[in-house]
Amino acid sequence: MTRSTDGVGAVVKSRARRFARMQSTASAMTAVGCAVVLLVVAYFLPSEIAAGGSVAVRVVTWCALLLCSGMIVAALVAGRRFSPRAGAVAILALAVAVSMGLTHVTTAERFVSPALLVPIAAAYAGWSFRPAVARGFVVVIIGIFACGLIGNDTFREALFAYPWGMLFGLVVSVIIAELSIALAEDMRAYSLVDPLTGALNRRGLARWLSRLRRNGEQVWVVAADLNGLKQINDRLGHAEGDQVLRESVDGWRRDLPRGGVVARWGGDEFVMVFSALDEHAAHKVLTSLRTNPPHAFAAGMVPLTGTIEDTVRAADPALYADKRRVGSAGSARHPDRSGGASTRVSIFARETRYTWIWVLAGVAFAASAFVAAWETESRTGAVISLIGGAASLAFAVIVAVRGRQFPSVGIVIWITILAVSALAHATFTDQRGAIFQAIFGLPLIAVIVATFYSPRAARMIVGVVIATFGGAFLLAPSMIELIGAGPIVVSALTAWLLLEVIIASSASLMRAAGRDPLTRALNRRGLALRVPRVERHAARTTGAFAVAAIDFDHFKTLNDTFGHARGDAALRDAVESWRSELRPVDVIARIGGDEFVILLPGIGLEDAERILQRLHAHADNPWTYGIAIAQAGEELDPVLHRADQALGVRKALRGTARPPTREG
């Protein structure tokens, strides 16, 4: 097919806009981080160094400022192409310069403020490098800063007088690094994993096989096809069908030998790969997989001899024979929910990882408060600190028990208690421990709020907390005299920067989890999240929107005859063609192997029919569609069911579609 110049231009413009947005976001976040570092270093170091530092120290410090300025320019120019290694070298050089400068500062304000840059470096390391490298980088940065601080006589006196304050800052930096590492690992995982089932996608399977082949073990491949998934989707809804897919993957994982993996190959097609000494051992594994499976499936097994695509194709005859043998027995089994399987799937791949990070944060706040209560001579201050510590400890315990099911309102309650405690300390005690907890705890509060709440709510909560903590210091002039206003400002800047970093990374994670990696169309999760926006757009016009269900004709034959690469190309080309023909507000989603949904907000039945006919006329590969109209307030599943029924009727009327050809 020769696509129109306008269509090609639309695709090019869309990609250019998407690339520009990615460049703009990445460069802006990096540049803002560099600017915060530059402001802190430029304000708090040069005057002290000019008064007491050597010429070498002054030269190194000013070079560090110029280096940081250069990073801002480089980040704005390079965007996402800005090298993490270049950033790491610049941060290390800047840390050395700051450490040299810290040996000469004489006020608490000027050694506490640079220490607040460590959480920014920790977040950058966690997001940019593999876990082991990131942790090593954070340890080096902390060590460099510690050398400068310990070499300062003023700091040593303050450290011996109150060691927990700086230790709390160290713990905060470690927690922020671990959270950044967890988010980065999830981003990497979602490029290799099917977000619905948690099974590997084809890219993830290929990467796993490349490592396994290097071990020289005999590898076996099982091609599996779930029976009756279409009937479950039609009778019980796609949410139930999605749960069937998840439960099947979980069941196969339990029965596979150590090191075996499950990959999602298509809508209801899966591939299981494992190592076995010989064919007898491999058949024992297959027998185990067939014993009391969560849901009925047909399977074929062959040894891995060539590419994974060729091997799966070689397993297809055995799979089809098994499907004919099993027939319809149990093919549409009603899912068993007696085991209490949860239908909730978190955006995060490893909930326990985030849970223990939040638990550690609560314990750190509790320890800080209890230490402050122990050291203070004020009975009022001790009571206030104990209340804050008890609230933090309760938060840690409840999160440990509930995980990500922890009610988000609990975060607000906990943070409110901390903020009220800070105000009470400022009003009644001027307690030193409250200063350090507020200054170093504010960035940690920001990242916790960012992981629990939507961007708008997170910004509002953190804004209120910053205003509250700032008001607390204004109510206590003695605190300002003790530590100065600088650390408060730097803490607020650091907190807001980290808040925006977590929001941006979480948004990227949500986009990755809501997209089909092959076609870049939305998946089931992304479709569910997009429906409210479609409904709002439709409400401004007719109040209804059209739902088109699309199913490719003879797609299995296309894959079997010409290979899965040809089938993948057909799906990608189709989605790209649809995008060039549809409006920006229209939604394309892949809900199965060759099953798609298109939402047309504000479009009636006749107009939807004309649009689908136009798309169909431009198709390189044959597909059939059915249309239904969603009325205002109607849920998507019943509308999609009606569209599926219309699709089935149209398929029956059309009969056999044209066979696939090698052209195109």
Side-chain angles (χ1 to χ4, degrees):
M1 180 186 74
T2 302
R3 202 170 285 140
S4 68
T5 304
D6 291 342
V8 174
V11 173
V12 172
K13 289 180 181 178
S14 174
R15 289 181 175 177
R17 285 194 298 268
R18 185 165 64 249
F19 179 76
R21 285 196 299 269
M22 291 164 57
Q23 289 284 94
S24 176
T25 301
S27 60
M29 295 304 299
T30 306
V32 169
C34 294
V36 171
V37 174
L38 177 64
L39 288 173
V40 173
V41 176
Y43 181 76
F44 290 107
L45 288 184
S47 60
E48 295 287 343
I49 293 171
S54 64
V55 174
V57 171
R58 274 180 270 178
V59 169
V60 170
T61 303
W62 284 108
C63 285
L65 295 178
L66 293 175
L67 178 64
C68 199
S69 302
M71 284 180 64
I72 296 176
V73 176
L76 288 171
V77 172
R80 289 177 65 88
R81 294 170 296 176
F82 186 74
S83 170
R85 293 183 179 179
V89 170
I91 289 174
L92 287 172
L94 188 62
V96 171
V98 172
S99 179
M100 294 175 66
L102 285 174
T103 60
H104 297 279
V105 299
T106 57
T107 63
E109 178 181 16
R110 295 184 186 274
F111 66 68
V112 171
S113 296
L116 286 163
L117 300 178
V118 178
I120 297 178
Y124 181 84
W127 186 248
S128 302
F129 302 107
R130 296 289 179 180
V133 177
R135 294 185 180 105
F137 184 84
V138 173
V139 169
V140 170
I141 292 293
I142 290 174
I144 292 172
F145 271 82
C147 289
L149 291 171
I150 294 174
N152 185 295
D153 294 335
T154 304
F155 175 78
R156 281 201 303 272
E157 294 175 3
L159 180 64
F160 292 142
Y162 188 70
W164 172 252
M166 297 307 293
L167 182 60
F168 180 65
L170 169 64
V171 172
V172 167
S173 298
V174 171
I175 294 173
I176 290 174
E178 289 297 329
L179 182 61
S180 299
I181 288 171
L183 285 168
E185 283 191 298
D186 275 339
M187 283 298 296
R188 297 185 190 106
Y190 271 116
S191 69
L192 306 174
V193 173
D194 170 47
L196 174 64
T197 64
L200 295 175
N201 58 25
R202 294 192 191 183
R203 183 190 301 173
L205 180 60
R207 182 170 297 186
W208 184 87
L209 283 174
S210 66
R211 292 196 299 266
L212 191 63
R213 280 193 171 104
R214 290 195 292 267
N215 296 333
E217 300 175 331
Q218 178 62 63
V219 179
W220 297 82
V221 175
V222 174
D225 196 342
L226 286 174
N227 296 334
L229 185 66
K230 179 72 172 176
Q231 289 86 344
I232 291 175
N233 282 334
D234 291 343
R235 289 208 324 266
L236 305 176
H238 281 274
E240 199 67 49
D242 291 347
Q243 185 64 13
V244 166
L245 295 174
R246 287 191 289 264
E247 290 174 350
S248 298
V249 170
D250 290 342
W252 292 331
R253 278 178 174 156
R254 287 193 298 268
D255 293 330
L256 282 171
R258 183 178 179 84
V261 295
V262 182
R264 191 177 185 189
W265 200 252
D268 55 356
E269 301 169 347
F270 292 85
V271 172
M272 287 165 268
V273 183
F274 58 91
S275 299
L277 293 176
D278 51 33
E279 187 173 358
H280 176 70
H283 276 287
K284 286 183 65 176
V285 174
L286 182 56
T287 301
S288 176
L289 292 170
R290 292 182 184 278
T291 303
N292 194 28
H295 300 278
F297 69 96
M301 184 181 71
V302 293
L304 178 66
T305 53
T307 66
I308 185 63
E309 288 81 7
D310 291 340
T311 305
V312 171
R313 191 179 300 114
D316 278 347
L319 186 151
Y320 296 145
D322 187 44
K323 189 176 282 289
R324 288 192 297 269
R325 179 181 60 80
V326 173
S328 60
S331 62
R333 183 189 309 176
H334 191 288
D336 181 12
R337 296 288 176 262
S338 59
S342 172
T343 59
R344 188 180 61 88
V345 176
S346 172
I347 180 65
F348 297 106
R350 293 169 296 280
E351 293 192 2
T352 54
R353 176 74 172 276
Y354 294 91
T355 297
W356 78 256
I357 292 174
W358 294 323
V359 170
L360 181 59
V363 170
F365 271 101
S368 176
F370 292 149
V371 169
W374 175 266
E375 292 196 345
T376 185
E377 297 179 357
S378 167
R379 181 175 298 179
T380 302
V383 171
I384 296 171
S385 294
L386 287 174
I387 292 174
S392 300
L393 189 60
F395 167 77
V397 171
I398 297 174
V399 168
V401 174
R402 299 292 301 276
R404 283 192 60 82
Q405 292 181 331
F406 180 80
S408 57
V409 68
I411 296 290
V412 174
I413 295 173
W414 174 52
I415 292 175
T416 300
I417 293 174
L418 293 180
V420 171
S421 297
L423 282 171
H425 278 301
T427 305
F428 301 111
T429 70
D430 290 351
Q431 189 172 324
R432 183 173 48 192
I435 299 175
F436 286 100
Q437 187 179 66
I439 289 174
F440 288 107
L442 188 55
L444 183 55
I445 288 174
V447 298
I448 292 174
V449 170
T451 57
F452 265 95
Y453 285 92
S454 67
R456 180 181 298 179
R459 291 186 179 106
M460 182 181 68
I461 293 171
V462 172
V464 171
V465 172
I466 290 175
T468 302
F469 281 2
F473 279 91
L474 291 176
L475 290 174
S478 59
M479 287 190 179
I480 301 295
E481 294 173 3
L482 175 65
I483 202 169
I488 305 167
V489 175
V490 175
S491 176
L493 287 174
T494 301
W496 200 268
L497 174 64
L498 294 175
L499 171 72
E500 294 299 332
V501 168
I502 299 300
I503 287 175
S505 58
S506 298
S508 297
L509 187 58
M510 289 285 288
R511 286 193 295 270
R515 290 279 177 184
D516 168 47
L518 174 64
T519 64
R520 303 307 302 160
L522 297 178
N523 56 23
R524 282 287 302 176
R525 183 185 186 87
L527 178 63
L529 294 174
R530 186 65 64 86
V531 167
R533 189 188 305 178
V534 172
E535 291 174 338
R536 288 194 297 271
H537 185 277
R540 294 194 292 268
T541 54
T542 63
F545 60 91
V547 177
I550 294 175
D551 195 352
F552 278 71
D553 301 329
H554 298 305
F555 191 72
K556 183 71 173 175
T557 303
L558 178 66
N559 279 333
D560 293 344
T561 305
F562 304 107
H564 283 275
R566 175 67 173 82
D568 291 348
L571 298 180
R572 283 193 301 264
D573 291 346
V575 171
E576 186 174 323
S577 175
W578 297 339
R579 282 202 183 102
S580 68
E581 299 278 352
L582 295 173
R583 304 168 299 172
V585 297
D586 298 330
V587 176
I588 305 171
R590 185 186 183 192
I591 62 173
D594 60 337
E595 300 173 0
F596 290 83
V597 170
I598 295 179
L599 305 186
L600 304 169
I603 298 295
L605 183 60
E606 293 183 1
D607 289 336
E609 183 69 33
R610 282 195 292 270
I611 291 171
L612 267 296
Q613 286 179 357
R614 186 177 73 245
L615 297 180
H616 191 269
H618 293 168
D620 287 334
N621 297 276
W623 45 267
T624 306
Y625 65 90
I627 303 174
I629 300 299
Q631 301 301 324
E634 188 176 11
E635 293 186 357
L636 179 62
D637 268 351
V639 186
L640 186 55
H641 178 64
R642 295 201 302 271
D644 278 338
Q645 289 180 319
L647 186 153
V649 171
R650 194 181 296 265
K651 270 187 176 289
L653 291 175
R654 290 181 61 200
T656 303
R658 69 181 189 272
T661 63
R662 290 186 182 272
E663 287 74 16

